[in-house]
């Protein structure tokens, strides 16, 4: 099984690696399918504009951080975890 990276496609055209505690997460195909199902079920997730916070929806983030600018996730793509990092993608 080949591990993948998830790259969030942001509504403003930028791309961001999915990280947790400063580390890029490694995803299995089952986890990627679960992410697809959750996006279909709950809609797009979001970040605060400084990427300090992530929420399952823009509404949820707005409730928690009313003064923060919110960036929605429009979709995602994957790449092999073994590839070098792309410096044009936000870490």
């Amino acid at each position: 099984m080949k591990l993948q990276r998830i790259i969030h496609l942001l509504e403003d055209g930028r791309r961001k690696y999915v990280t947790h505690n400063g580390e890029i997460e490694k995803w299995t195909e089952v986890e990627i399918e679960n992410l697809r199902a959750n996006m279909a079920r709950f809609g797009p997730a979001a970040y605060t504009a400084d990427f300090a916070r992530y929420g399952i929806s823009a509404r949820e983030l707005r409730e928690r951080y009313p003064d923060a600018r919110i960036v929605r996730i429009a979709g995602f793509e994957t790449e092999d975890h073994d590839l070098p990092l792309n410096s044009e993608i936000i870490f």
Side-chain angles (χ1 to χ4, degrees), residues 35-46 54-58 72-75:
L35 177 60
R36 281 189 184 97
N38 286 340
M39 288 182 79
R41 182 176 179 190
F42 299 112
Y54 171 86
I56 60 168
S57 72
R72 287 179 182 82
I73 298 167

Side-chain angles (χ1 to χ4, degrees), residues 8-14 44-48 57-59 61-62 69-75:
H8 279 150
L9 308 174
L10 306 177
E11 67 181 354
D12 61 9
R14 295 180 296 165
Y47 290 101
T48 55
S57 72
R59 186 184 76 212
L61 272 181
R62 177 68 57 220
R69 188 173 146 249
I70 305 298
V71 178
R72 287 179 182 82
I73 298 167

Side-chain angles (χ1 to χ4, degrees), residues 3 15 20 35 47 54 62 70 79-80 82 86 90:
L3 295 174
R15 297 165 43 199
H20 182 71
L35 177 60
Y47 290 101
Y54 171 86
R62 177 68 57 220
I70 305 298
E79 70 179 16
D80 288 344
D82 299 339
N86 181 337
I90 300 166

